[in-house]
């Protein structure tokens, strides 16, 4: 883990980026929804958390 994340209080890989997704394009939102749906069909969690 890099020093900056440690200074911010993050530990391991369990943190959510502070990106709100407010300015994300609709095509990117659709891509993220499709990734989440495909993971759900497999009974898995997506590899990352996303705000869309």
């Amino acid at each position: 883990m890099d020093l900056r994340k440690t200074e911010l209080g993050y530990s391991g890989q369990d943190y959510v980026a502070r990106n709100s997704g407010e300015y994300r394009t609709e095509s990117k939102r659709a891509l993220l929804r499709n990734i989440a749906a495909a993971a759900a069909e497999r009974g898995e969690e997506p590899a990352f958390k996303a705000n869309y």
Side-chain angles (χ1 to χ4, degrees):
M1 175 180 305
D2 68 37
L3 182 58
R4 183 163 185 260
K5 289 179 185 172
T6 301
E7 290 172 349
L8 291 171
Y10 297 130
S11 63
Q13 297 298 318
D14 283 343
Y15 67 91
V16 176
R18 292 184 278 178
N19 182 342
S20 69
E22 181 179 355
Y23 301 105
R24 191 162 286 142
T25 64
E26 185 53 40
S27 61
K28 179 72 176 264
R29 292 173 199 269
L31 175 65
L32 294 171
R33 283 191 293 268
N34 288 341
I35 291 170
E41 287 178 6
R42 294 189 306 270
E44 301 172 354
E45 290 289 321
F48 52 88
K49 296 178 182 176
N51 297 319
Y52 51 86

